[in-house]
Amino acid sequence: MEGLFDGIPISILTDSYKAGHNRMYPSCTKMVAYGEFRKGFKGKHGHDTDDTRLVVYGIRYIVETFISKKWTMEDIETASLFFSTHNAPMFTEYPFPKELFEKFVRENDGYFPVKLEALPEGSVVHVHIPVYQITAEDEYAPLCTFLETLLTQIWYPSTVATLSRRCKDIIEEAFEKTVDGGKLSPLLGSRLHDFGFRGCTCVEQSVLGGVAHLLNFDGTDTLSAAYYAQFKLNGGTPVGQSIPATEHSVMTSWRTEQAAIENMIENFGEGLFACVMDSYDYSAALRDVLPAIREKKVGKGGFMVLRPDSGDPVEAVLEGLRAADKVFGSEVNSKGYKVINGAGVIQGDGINIDTLRDICTAVEEAGYSLQCVAFGMGGGLLQSVNRDTMSFATKLSHIRFTDGTSRDIMKAPKTDLSKFSLPGILAVKREEGVPMVYCTPDAGAGEPLVAPEENLLQVVYDKRPLAVPPWESFSEVRSRLANEWAALPPCVDVLTPQIKGVIRGIREVQARWGGSAGNMTPPRKQSRTQAISSRLST
Amino acid sequence: MEGLFDGIPISILTDSYKAGHNRMYPSCTKMVAYGEFRKGFKGKHGHDTDDTRLVVYGIRYIVETFISKKWTMEDIETASLFFSTHNAPMFTEYPFPKELFEKFVRENDGYFPVKLEALPEGSVVHVHIPVYQITAEDEYAPLCTFLETLLTQIWYPSTVATLSRRCKDIIEEAFEKTVDGGKLSPLLGSRLHDFGFRGCTCVEQSVLGGVAHLLNFDGTDTLSAAYYAQFKLNGGTPVGQSIPATEHSVMTSWRTEQAAIENMIENFGEGLFACVMDSYDYSAALRDVLPAIREKKVGKGGFMVLRPDSGDPVEAVLEGLRAADKVFGSEVNSKGYKVINGAGVIQGDGINIDTLRDICTAVEEAGYSLQCVAFGMGGGLLQSVNRDTMSFATKLSHIRFTDGTSRDIMKAPKTDLSKFSLPGILAVKREEGVPMVYCTPDAGAGEPLVAPEENLLQVVYDKRPLAVPPWESFSEVRSRLANEWAALPPCVDVLTPQIKGVIRGIREVQARWGGSAGNMTPPRKQSRTQAISSRLST
């Protein structure tokens, strides 16, 4: 099926100003930039501000869909026509690096001439760990940040995966307390169900966000994502599942809700199925309709899920549980909590990480096992986050000028120091199991502080797609996430003493050189390791 | 360029549960569903809750990209393989209407067999006006809501277009007060600039949201949208423009900020250009660097835009204006406000509709004309909205059963009456210029209350793409929006007495039949107009 991107030249998949930046940089032979999250995820209630773990996910999609694509002379001509009318005022000619683009189409088979390193998909790290690093050299050095706009969009699947994983923590805790088998119960994977397709801004988002959620759970109605994960990322092995369920149109199309439910039982009553219950009057439906369909439902032997869809989320769940308990009865499990016979409740309205937590607490306090409850999260899962949620940004960190000197670069706005960036060519290495960040010497400028095989930043594109693609199956990515999330402490300062020394050195030079004149890192020809030692010793 | 959608069968671009609904409806020969916004847009500060106008935009993209696509037997086979593993528990077989799909591939050239009506692109209406209406008949009646998931995504471009238009109201007001030429000034179109590409979740979103903003303004850095609007929607006539501008990497790559700006002036100093000023110390840069580049800048004669990017947005703008005034001087315009010579400020950090309003007020109070200020809105423009922002939903409204009786259907959850839906086959007609909603009789059941040529809901797809596509150029859509927005009062109750009569009738029947048993609209064989009269007379 054809899509949006047909005919759009890849050279315009960036911000306007990027097209002019090559002429705004100083003359240089190397530039390095990287992306990082600067804040941990937190709910609206401010819970968990002390948990700065995050899931990194989405580089494969960006590399395969965009960065690995060959540019053609025709693309550049199309872009050229566009840029000739894009400048203000009066739609005049906007600058863009046509000659550089043509050069790599001629000389590099049309592949964008940068090196890209990234953390493995599904990695769990803390804030400030570089997620990817871009290196551009020689005549292409000024194109280093041209792909920033596309790469920065990794914020989205990473943020959804982190939110979904944080919800899983809450559910795991409730399972440990109230469910036989605790967090190892096979029921856990279906407890947070993705209702978010229609609340997405578009189909592409539904795939990216939906797949990110599927890293943690297998419950989803976002078919686009379930399909993509299964067939494009997992060799056909299924990833996401759902159950037959009514919506309001089904309930209201019958002359009575009872008739609608009886038809559901007839068709799907031997398995799992769900019915939305608030088309007219939720309480009345629980009171009158549920007993009326009891016999038919029990006769079929399946599992019925009640879905409230309005009102107070906590109250709606408790009311549903009590009604189902009254009609179908319950047993007390080994942990002392009631498990309703063949029925449960899914709350799919008003769910975010905070209401999810509130419901877990209330259900436990009411004496029910959380295995009787599932959550449907729609816009709250796929469309409640933004780039500021975990403050993602891409920043330049190193430059080698044409005169052979080089400098580590650091943004540090006085008006918001949380927006500082890391200086240098960066590497990530585990110390006692925790990924930590180093500032490594430029090639040829000294011994690497982090050996390539220890560096968690792995090359995923090197001036062209790799001969052996570095991607793993979706199942392997899921396992990495699960293992690494469990193994990391919630909060760690990941800046090594080594990079702190470099930062301190830059700040001292800035202070000596005084306020406003600009970037104060001194030019240098000495080796990086010498520079670091001299800074650390000041 | 290849895209995401290649190889994804269109039959899985919906929610899982949609695939089962055909078996959950009663036996019927016609179903009608529609989509509407149920709430007006409001800022976080709660301003403008009394403005329920909204811009409708985006149906063309959904129809052209998805709904008009031919399905094939191969697509259905691919989907079949997927559905065979999608049911819980244990990845078993999920129900989907394979026979119906195959039938329309065989008998309808693979086109999805529904009729779709929609408001013209760029229409301005109030909440509760149907935005689109889907009609499915005969054996395909139970597929009526299958496309709901895709169609519902119209919430996004419509909501962004509305937000952007509401911002324009604020800017227009400030222009009327403080700018020569008032809201007719040619400068107005560039005052709200789209910085949102990287804050989008994906490229497709950047196109949809970016284009929606371009309905109101021509300032954008979201090239994907500017390109798409120009070449795919406007026959090549330009739509969006920008100016050369630095980012932090440009400022920090030079040894000093002064050197970075001097290079900008050399390259772009004859025209409009922008420099970000907070890489290290915004105040110091304004105080020390600006005077240092004054002569060079003035010598070139162009226009320099200062960009703060952190700190308090209101203070940052005022500080920038005062510094620029001090360095470049200003003139007082005919309205008594200062216009700085060849310089201005763009605030692109922390901008939403509320801070935008605050800045307009503060700038005016400080005695500056708003023509000295522009706004860059990124995540706040393209990624701060969700489906709940204006509460969009698609609901079933009418059914004709196989026995020939028909019913108007209305969801009305007691637990949240703001989620009520409209009953019947709907039509939209202007009364004294304002679009109002009617409930029309089923075909053959009486005279239409709204003649087809008066009905603002126009057919855009009729069991296949129309022979003559109904789409207009982007320029025409822009004009419609501008004219209709200006012509409509901010808030109108758009339910005609006629449809209120129908609603009242349904509620009275519900009350008579008592609480919980379900949808209480009586079956009927009488003509709609008779039914309406009898309800109105009760």
Side-chain angles (χ1 to χ4, degrees):
Chain A
M1 182 183 150
E2 282 179 13
L4 166 72
F5 306 137
D6 304 306
I8 295 195
I10 186 164
S11 51
I12 61 92
L13 294 184
T14 192
D15 292 297
S16 304
Y17 71 167
K18 292 280 167 201
H21 287 165
N22 69 302
R23 287 169 65 185
M24 300 180 196
Y25 291 123
S27 182
C28 60
T29 58
K30 180 171 183 170
M31 288 179 71
V32 180
Y34 79 103
E36 66 164 321
F37 289 96
R38 301 178 293 202
K39 271 194 340 207
F41 183 92
K42 61 174 181 135
K44 276 184 194 153
H45 292 180
H47 292 294
D48 302 319
T49 49
D50 51 354
D51 190 344
T52 63
R53 284 174 298 178
L54 56 95
V55 178
V56 178
Y57 184 71
I59 196 74
R60 174 178 177 175
Y61 178 77
I62 297 170
V63 170
E64 288 194 329
T65 311
F66 303 109
I67 296 175
S68 293
K69 292 289 187 285
K70 278 185 171 211
W71 297 31
T72 65
M73 286 297 178
E74 191 192 348
D75 287 343
I76 296 171
E77 278 313 309
T78 314
S80 182
L81 183 63
F82 169 71
F83 280 116
S84 72
T85 63
H86 184 58
N87 205 17
M90 305 295 286
F91 297 103
T92 48
E93 187 171 357
Y94 198 92
F96 87 104
K98 189 174 183 184
E99 296 72 22
L100 279 179
F101 291 171
E102 288 174 343
K103 185 175 168 67
F104 73 72
V105 168
R106 276 196 315 272
E107 299 175 12
N108 197 44
D109 296 330
Y111 291 115
F112 200 87
V114 295
K115 184 174 80 175
L116 183 64
E117 301 162 277
L119 298 177
E121 293 278 74
S123 289
V124 180
V125 296
H126 296 92
V127 292
H128 292 308
I129 289 290
V131 163
Y132 55 73
Q133 183 163 254
I134 317 159
T135 305
E137 291 187 283
D138 303 325
E139 62 270 55
Y140 299 120
L143 294 182
C144 180
T145 59
F146 190 83
L147 299 175
E148 172 181 349
T149 308
L150 283 173
L151 285 166
T152 295
Q153 290 187 338
I154 200 174
W155 77 262
Y156 177 64
S158 298
T159 305
V160 171
T162 303
L163 162 60
S164 165
R165 178 60 237 196
R166 289 282 283 270
C167 290
K168 195 171 183 177
D169 277 2
I170 297 167
I171 294 169
E172 281 184 352
E173 198 185 316
F175 262 56
E176 285 291 280
K177 273 195 200 163
T178 70
V179 179
D180 286 348
K183 68 182 180 185
L184 297 178
S185 163
L187 296 172
L188 202 143
S190 61
R191 293 304 102 172
L192 184 58
H193 198 92
D194 176 0
F195 279 8
F197 198 161
R198 73 188 63 181
C200 284
T201 65
C202 59
V203 173
E204 188 182 14
Q205 177 186 2
S206 77
V207 172
L208 298 173
V211 163
H213 168 68
L214 288 170
L215 288 168
N216 302 301
F217 290 94
D218 59 31
T220 190
D221 256 41
T222 300
L223 285 181
S224 53
Y227 181 92
Y228 190 87
Q230 177 170 345
F231 290 102
K232 304 270 180 173
L233 304 176
N234 213 34
T237 304
V239 171
Q241 54 188 335
S242 185
I243 62 172
T246 71
E247 62 175 15
H248 291 102
S249 76
V250 168
M251 306 305 283
T252 58
S253 63
W254 291 82
R255 294 209 165 93
T256 65
E257 287 177 292
Q258 181 174 333
I261 298 175
E262 283 173 347
N263 176 68
M264 276 299 280
I265 295 171
E266 228 149 82
N267 276 288
F268 305 109
E270 287 160 15
L272 291 150
F273 66 100
C275 292
V276 64
M277 300 297 281
D278 75 326
S279 296
Y280 311 105
D281 184 336
Y282 178 56
S283 300
L286 294 177
R287 185 189 63 226
D288 303 332
V289 182
L290 212 53
I293 58 87
R294 180 188 181 283
E295 196 178 346
K296 193 166 185 126
K297 185 263 170 201
V298 171
K300 281 280 199 164
F303 192 97
M304 178 175 186
V305 183
L306 306 172
R307 179 160 73 91
D309 197 41
S310 49
D312 177 76
V314 174
E315 285 311 309
V317 170
L318 295 180
E319 195 180 343
L321 290 174
R322 288 180 181 129
D325 191 3
K326 196 169 160 195
V327 172
F328 301 112
S330 58
E331 314 279 332
V332 174
N333 69 10
S334 72
K335 297 191 173 173
Y337 290 85
K338 287 195 277 189
V339 177
I340 296 164
N341 298 320
V345 174
I346 186 165
Q347 176 67 27
D349 179 57
I351 294 298
N352 55 47
I353 191 168
D354 298 314
T355 50
L356 185 147
R357 188 192 324 260
D358 294 343
I359 290 168
C360 287
T361 306
V363 167
E364 182 200 327
E365 284 172 2
Y368 290 98
S369 167
L370 201 74
Q371 79 176 71
C372 308
V373 177
F375 301 92
M377 207 164 169
L381 180 64
L382 299 187
Q383 184 56 16
S384 71
V385 294
N386 58 53
R387 187 163 70 92
D388 290 337
T389 303
M390 304 201 301
S391 189
F392 189 85
T394 302
K395 294 294 160 199
L396 189 71
S397 59
H398 182 82
I399 187 166
R400 191 203 295 145
F401 299 108
T402 306
D403 69 6
T405 61
S406 65
R407 277 216 329 237
D408 297 330
I409 285 167
M410 200 175 101
K411 172 193 173 188
K414 207 173 163 182
T415 22
D416 185 357
L417 280 174
S418 76
K419 288 188 175 176
F420 85 97
S421 66
L422 299 176
I425 301 172
L426 304 170
V428 180
K429 180 182 160 188
R430 283 188 195 281
E431 302 287 357
E432 298 174 11
V434 178
M436 303 282 286
V437 61
Y438 288 85
C439 170
T440 71
D442 199 353
E447 283 301 302
L449 286 171
V450 176
E453 64 276 14
E454 289 177 318
N455 193 348
L456 297 183
L457 285 171
Q458 294 288 308
V459 177
V460 293
Y461 175 90
D462 194 4
K463 301 192 183 76
R464 62 184 61 233
L466 302 190
V468 180
W471 319 118
E472 301 151 304
S473 73
F474 197 73
S475 299
E476 288 168 306
V477 174
R478 270 181 164 176
S479 298
R480 169 176 298 112
L481 192 169
N483 295 336
E484 293 190 4
W485 186 271
L488 277 195
C491 191
V492 175
D493 174 6
V494 299
L495 302 190
T496 51
Q498 185 265 333
I499 198 169
K500 282 183 180 168
V502 177
I503 293 170
R504 200 163 51 238
I506 295 173
R507 288 203 169 135
E508 279 164 7
V509 174
Q510 285 182 2
R512 268 204 304 279
W513 289 22
S516 69
N519 186 331
M520 313 308 167
T521 53
R524 59 187 160 75
K525 289 229 180 195
Q526 67 195 129
S527 83
R528 166 63 57 86
T529 34
Q530 286 174 309
I532 289 163
S533 338
S534 70
R535 279 173 206 159
L536 287 172
S537 65
T538 55
Chain B
M1 184 182 148
E2 281 179 16
L4 165 73
F5 307 136
D6 304 306
I8 295 196
I10 186 165
S11 51
I12 61 90
L13 295 185
T14 192
D15 291 297
S16 303
Y17 71 167
K18 292 280 167 203
H21 286 166
N22 68 303
R23 288 170 63 185
M24 301 180 196
Y25 289 124
S27 182
C28 60
T29 58
K30 179 169 183 172
M31 287 180 71
V32 180
Y34 78 101
E36 67 164 322
F37 290 96
R38 300 176 294 202
K39 271 192 342 204
F41 183 92
K42 58 175 184 139
K44 277 186 193 151
H45 293 180
H47 292 294
D48 301 320
T49 50
D50 51 355
D51 190 344
T52 62
R53 283 174 297 177
L54 56 95
V55 179
V56 178
Y57 184 71
I59 196 74
R60 174 177 177 174
Y61 178 76
I62 297 170
V63 170
E64 287 193 329
T65 312
F66 303 109
I67 296 175
S68 292
K69 292 289 187 284
K70 279 184 172 211
W71 297 33
T72 65
M73 287 296 178
E74 191 192 348
D75 287 343
I76 296 171
E77 278 312 309
T78 313
S80 182
L81 184 62
F82 169 70
F83 279 116
S84 73
T85 63
H86 184 58
N87 205 17
M90 305 296 284
F91 298 102
T92 48
E93 188 172 357
Y94 198 91
F96 86 105
K98 189 173 183 186
E99 295 73 22
L100 278 179
F101 291 172
E102 288 173 343
K103 185 175 168 65
F104 73 72
V105 168
R106 275 196 315 270
E107 298 175 12
N108 197 45
D109 296 331
Y111 289 116
F112 200 86
V114 295
K115 182 174 81 175
L116 183 65
E117 300 161 277
L119 298 177
E121 293 279 73
S123 290
V124 180
V125 296
H126 296 92
V127 293
H128 292 309
I129 290 289
V131 162
Y132 55 72
Q133 183 163 257
I134 318 159
T135 304
E137 292 187 281
D138 304 325
E139 62 271 55
Y140 299 120
L143 293 183
C144 180
T145 59
F146 191 83
L147 299 174
E148 172 181 348
T149 309
L150 284 173
L151 285 166
T152 295
Q153 290 186 339
I154 200 174
W155 76 261
Y156 177 64
S158 298
T159 306
V160 171
T162 304
L163 162 60
S164 165
R165 177 59 238 198
R166 288 283 284 270
C167 291
K168 195 170 183 178
D169 277 2
I170 297 167
I171 294 169
E172 280 183 353
E173 197 185 317
F175 262 57
E176 284 291 281
K177 274 195 198 161
T178 71
V179 179
D180 287 346
K183 68 182 180 184
L184 297 177
S185 163
L187 296 172
L188 202 143
S190 61
R191 293 304 102 170
L192 184 58
H193 198 92
D194 176 0
F195 279 9
F197 198 162
R198 73 188 63 181
C200 284
T201 65
C202 60
V203 172
E204 189 182 14
Q205 177 186 2
S206 77
V207 172
L208 297 174
V211 164
H213 169 67
L214 287 170
L215 288 168
N216 302 301
F217 291 94
D218 58 29
T220 190
D221 256 41
T222 301
L223 285 181
S224 54
Y227 180 92
Y228 190 87
Q230 178 170 345
F231 290 101
K232 304 271 179 172
L233 305 177
N234 213 34
T237 304
V239 171
Q241 54 188 336
S242 185
I243 61 173
T246 70
E247 61 175 16
H248 292 102
S249 77
V250 169
M251 307 306 283
T252 59
S253 63
W254 292 82
R255 294 213 162 90
T256 65
E257 287 177 292
Q258 180 174 333
I261 297 175
E262 284 172 348
N263 177 67
M264 276 300 280
I265 295 171
E266 226 150 84
N267 277 289
F268 306 108
E270 288 161 15
L272 290 151
F273 66 99
C275 293
V276 64
M277 300 297 281
D278 75 326
S279 297
Y280 311 105
D281 184 336
Y282 179 56
S283 301
L286 294 177
R287 185 187 63 225
D288 302 332
V289 182
L290 212 53
I293 59 89
R294 181 189 179 283
E295 197 179 347
K296 192 167 185 124
K297 186 263 168 201
V298 171
K300 281 281 198 165
F303 192 98
M304 178 176 186
V305 182
L306 307 172
R307 179 160 72 92
D309 196 41
S310 48
D312 177 75
V314 174
E315 285 311 308
V317 170
L318 295 180
E319 194 179 344
L321 289 174
R322 287 179 182 130
D325 191 2
K326 195 170 162 196
V327 172
F328 301 113
S330 58
E331 314 280 333
V332 173
N333 68 12
S334 72
K335 299 193 172 173
Y337 289 86
K338 286 196 277 188
V339 177
I340 296 164
N341 297 320
V345 174
I346 186 166
Q347 176 68 27
D349 179 56
I351 293 299
N352 55 47
I353 191 168
D354 297 314
T355 52
L356 184 147
R357 187 191 324 260
D358 294 344
I359 290 169
C360 287
T361 306
V363 167
E364 181 200 328
E365 284 172 2
Y368 290 98
S369 168
L370 201 73
Q371 78 175 72
C372 308
V373 177
F375 301 92
M377 207 166 169
L381 181 63
L382 300 188
Q383 184 56 17
S384 71
V385 293
N386 58 52
R387 188 164 68 92
D388 290 337
T389 303
M390 305 201 300
S391 189
F392 188 85
T394 302
K395 293 296 160 198
L396 189 70
S397 59
H398 182 82
I399 188 167
R400 191 202 297 144
F401 299 107
T402 307
D403 68 7
T405 60
S406 66
R407 276 215 331 235
D408 298 331
I409 286 166
M410 201 176 100
K411 173 191 173 190
K414 205 172 164 182
T415 21
D416 185 356
L417 280 175
S418 77
K419 287 188 175 177
F420 85 96
S421 65
L422 299 176
I425 300 172
L426 304 171
V428 180
K429 179 183 162 187
R430 284 188 195 281
E431 302 288 358
E432 297 174 12
V434 179
M436 305 281 286
V437 61
Y438 287 85
C439 171
T440 70
D442 200 352
E447 284 301 302
L449 285 171
V450 176
E453 65 276 13
E454 288 177 318
N455 193 349
L456 297 182
L457 285 171
Q458 294 287 307
V459 176
V460 293
Y461 176 89
D462 194 3
K463 302 192 182 79
R464 63 182 61 233
L466 301 190
V468 180
W471 319 117
E472 300 151 304
S473 74
F474 197 73
S475 299
E476 289 166 305
V477 174
R478 269 181 164 175
S479 298
R480 170 175 298 111
L481 192 169
N483 295 335
E484 294 190 3
W485 186 271
L488 277 194
C491 190
V492 174
D493 175 5
V494 299
L495 302 191
T496 51
Q498 185 264 333
I499 199 169
K500 281 182 181 167
V502 177
I503 293 170
R504 201 165 49 240
I506 295 173
R507 288 202 170 136
E508 278 164 9
V509 173
Q510 284 183 1
R512 268 205 303 280
W513 290 22
S516 69
N519 185 331
M520 311 311 164
T521 53
R524 60 186 158 77
K525 288 229 181 193
Q526 66 195 128
S527 82
R528 168 61 57 85
T529 34
Q530 286 174 306
I532 288 164
S533 336
S534 70
R535 279 172 206 160
L536 286 172
S537 64
T538 58

